[in-house]
Amino acid sequence: MPVLPLAGRLRPARLAAFVVAAACLAACGAEPEPAPPPAAGGVAAEGAARPPAGPQTVLDVVAATPDLSTLAELIERADLGAVLRDTSQTITLFAPSDAAFAALPAGALDALRADPAATRALLLSHVVPTRLPAADVFAEIAFETPGGTDLTVDADDAGVTASGPGGAGRVTTADLDAANGVVHVVDAVLARPSAV
């Protein structure tokens, strides 16, 4: 019996499988085609995979939280957006609410708005350089903040408290998760720079 070429020895079903496998192997090095754009109204075209939404950063969480509008304004004035958007590090931000800033002594908020360096120091004193979910606080923990001050976090039956050189605040909304950390809303401003 003569030796047949390779294709001649494969049955039609096996030949088809061989061709498909060869095509798949050849395509492995090829760049994937981009997904079709979403149809009008943000709905993906039928059968098309919707691209995943990008993860929110600490900055995005602050911007999206209605009770943090004063903080968002001060972050912009202090040019801290890049720090809170940086995904190469993880942080926890104890974010004073609008009511916390409103409770500052008369003229203090205006002084902060006029002094970006003082605002930057104050806001960095509300940051700890690690991801700290509320459930991980079961005893007093002390941190040195990027603002150069100490911040202590503690928990009791009533919840989590953060204390800085300017006072203590209760966490009123915990665990606003972000790609680069976590945000806890607090009911007090925890630091007082020299301008305040």
Side-chain angles (χ1 to χ4, degrees), residues 13-117:
R14 287 188 182 168
L15 178 60
F18 178 78
V19 170
V20 169
C24 287
L25 287 174
C28 284
E31 291 291 319
E33 288 187 31
V43 178
E46 186 174 321
R50 183 186 299 258
Q56 287 196 323
T57 64
V58 166
L59 182 63
D60 297 326
V61 170
V62 169
T65 305
D67 195 28
L68 299 179
S69 60
T70 304
L71 177 60
E73 174 199 347
L74 293 176
I75 287 169
E76 185 175 338
R77 286 179 182 270
D79 197 24
L80 278 173
V83 172
L84 301 181
R85 196 173 37 241
D86 183 1
T87 56
S88 69
Q89 60 180 350
T90 57
I91 60 173
T92 298
L93 172 63
F94 290 90
S97 65
D98 290 343
F101 280 110
L104 287 173
L109 189 54
D110 289 335
L112 283 171
R113 288 180 170 130
D115 188 345

Side-chain angles (χ1 to χ4, degrees), residues 132-166:
L132 184 66
D136 289 356
V137 182
F138 48 85
E140 187 175 286
I141 310 168
F143 298 94
E144 182 176 344
T145 71
T149 61
D150 292 330
L151 192 144
T152 304
V153 185
D154 202 359
D156 57 25
D157 292 340
V160 175
T161 302
S163 304

